[in-house]
Amino acid sequence: MPPVKPMLAKSVAKIPPGMQYEAKWDGFRAIVHRDGEEIELGSRTGKSLTRYFPELVEALKANLPDRCVVDGEIVLIHGGRLDFDLLSERIHPAASRVKMLAEKTPAAFVAFDLLALGDESLLDAPLADRRTALTRMFSTARPPVHLAPATTDPALAQEWFEHFEGAGLDGVVAKPLDLPYRPDARLMFKIKHERTADAVIAGFRFHKSGPIVGSLLLGLYDAHGTLQHVGVCAAFPMKRRAELIDELAPLRTPSPEGHPWAAWAEEAAHESARLPGAQSRWTGKKDLSWVPLRPEWVCEVAYDHMEGDRFRHTAQFRRMRPDRAPESCTYAQLEEVVGYDLAEVLGPAAG
């Protein structure tokens, strides 16, 4: 019975041998429960996603057996690749907008594990047996419901790692073949791309525990010379967070006036520029205020990939770069990923 938290993966640097390998999907993780006409889409946190994806409810009824629990990913395919920004727009409080977006930008579901079938729980069954049952169950599935490709060939997994990123995928997941399903436990392995970039430090947020740095706000200059907010880096030891408060003090400004992101609090300003502080549908009323800094310092950060013009995930701080001028921190330094049609991953119907 829902809610069930999904099994998780821990990061490793290389693809480990002797396992089952799958692409790492960039969407909303979802545990699907079906009991007759009832469908429940549970998120990673246990919250329900069902109301946001009415088109998937109907598609899952058409493709799943009457009673089952399936682990997978809700994704949105646009222009032959995954589009997380469009997917995020689906989380909206207004039922009328949800209905409109379900028709305009319909989502898909990619299944990669089976937790229960009929009266039988498969949590203690090894992955190899669960995969066999899942493959059999999905032998007649039709889009927008898909079975995630899987292989036990590490060479093919390496090819997927190198090429699938061009379709918007996030790396490779490796799963031991004898692994039982353990909710909320990090027993799988994920291998993600890592790149570095030099970014301008243009502000910070306080840590939730008190007056120390919680995260640094990062910017890159676009082709027009405008500093665009591209994300944050936040992985610091507590001692370092306290030190940064003192180090950044000379860069603090008495007011946002004159700062490239001074208009961050104005909702309309976010329509024409990427600024920090846009209200997230996930964070609700979370305080997104920040302390502006004169954009004079540069740091090197590691990131996995871009989503449009921003870092898809929180970047990892590597070092300060006093040798770099802020104006040199542009989008031009970023590696351009070679495109790859998602239809090559899921089949022609996925495009």
Side-chain angles (χ1 to χ4, degrees):
M1 293 294 291
V4 173
K5 291 189 175 182
M7 185 162 59
L8 305 174
K10 53 188 173 184
S11 294
V12 294
K14 297 181 180 180
I15 297 175
M19 298 190 183
Q20 175 178 296
Y21 310 103
E22 303 168 16
K24 187 176 184 303
W25 300 89
D26 190 19
F28 295 158
R29 187 77 175 272
I31 303 286
V32 177
H33 293 74
R34 182 180 185 185
D35 186 2
E37 289 299 301
E38 293 184 78
I39 293 278
E40 176 65 24
L41 306 177
S43 73
R44 176 172 166 173
T45 62
K47 294 181 179 180
S48 176
L49 295 169
T50 310
R51 68 175 297 268
Y52 303 115
F53 298 98
E55 78 281 22
L56 282 187
V57 171
E58 296 307 313
L60 290 165
K61 285 181 183 178
N63 284 280
L64 296 184
D66 283 347
R67 299 183 67 226
C68 61
V69 181
V70 179
D71 188 4
E73 196 101 355
I74 298 173
V75 298
L76 199 148
I77 303 167
H78 178 71
R81 60 175 286 124
L82 301 183
D83 193 320
F84 189 82
D85 279 347
L86 283 179
L87 181 66
S88 297
E89 292 180 5
R90 297 296 305 273
I91 309 302
H92 198 280
S96 58
R97 182 165 178 80
V98 168
K99 182 177 184 297
M100 182 271 289
L101 290 174
E103 298 171 355
K104 182 180 178 182
T105 54
F109 180 76
V110 182
F112 43 67
D113 212 334
L114 182 61
L115 282 62
L117 183 59
D119 292 330
E120 183 182 6
S121 169
L122 301 177
L123 294 180
D124 292 329
L127 170 66
D129 291 352
R130 300 198 309 273
R131 177 69 191 192
T132 297
L134 183 70
T135 302
R136 187 184 307 117
M137 192 174 90
F138 271 73
S139 61
T140 59
R142 296 290 180 267
V145 176
H146 305 270
L147 175 66
T151 183
T152 55
D153 181 357
L156 180 56
Q158 185 64 42
E159 287 186 30
W160 289 356
F161 182 77
E162 294 170 359
H163 297 128
F164 282 7
E165 186 184 14
L169 280 82
D170 207 13
V172 166
V173 175
K175 305 177 179 180
L177 291 164
D178 60 353
L179 184 67
Y181 196 98
R182 293 294 178 259
D184 210 29
R186 290 192 180 275
L187 301 176
M188 306 182 293
F189 305 93
K190 57 185 177 183
I191 306 91
K192 301 176 68 174
H193 298 271
E194 181 174 289
R195 303 173 174 85
T196 60
D198 293 326
V200 180
I201 301 173
F204 72 86
R205 290 194 176 100
F206 284 109
H207 194 267
K208 60 184 179 181
S209 67
I212 57 176
V213 168
S215 60
L216 299 177
L217 276 60
L218 307 174
L220 292 176
Y221 284 96
D222 63 20
H224 305 289
T226 300
L227 186 66
Q228 302 286 357
H229 174 56
V230 294
V232 302
C233 60
F236 303 102
M238 296 303 285
K239 180 182 178 183
R240 184 66 182 130
R241 294 179 187 276
E243 294 171 346
L244 281 170
I245 284 289
D246 294 332
E247 294 175 15
L248 296 172
L251 298 177
R252 293 178 66 167
T253 61
S255 74
E257 187 175 350
H259 192 280
W261 302 335
W264 74 274
E266 301 172 15
E267 186 175 349
H270 292 267
E271 298 176 3
S272 57
R274 181 164 289 284
L275 307 173
Q279 196 67 52
S280 167
R281 298 180 182 90
W282 296 106
T283 55
K285 297 182 179 180
K286 180 180 178 181
D287 182 11
L288 297 175
S289 60
W290 54 282
V291 178
L293 299 174
R294 295 196 308 276
E296 298 174 2
W297 282 19
V298 173
C299 68
E300 180 182 9
V301 297
Y303 68 98
D304 47 16
H305 70 281
M306 302 293 291
E307 178 65 36
D309 55 0
R310 62 182 172 87
F311 297 136
R312 170 65 179 86
H313 301 105
T314 301
Q316 303 298 307
F317 179 85
R318 289 291 179 258
R319 56 177 175 151
M320 291 295 185
R321 290 297 306 266
D323 57 319
R324 290 295 302 267
E327 295 77 17
S328 69
C329 299
T330 68
Y331 283 98
Q333 70 180 298
L334 305 180
E335 178 182 340
E336 186 173 346
V337 178
V338 177
Y340 194 87
D341 193 338
L342 195 61
E344 296 295 323
V345 185
L346 290 175

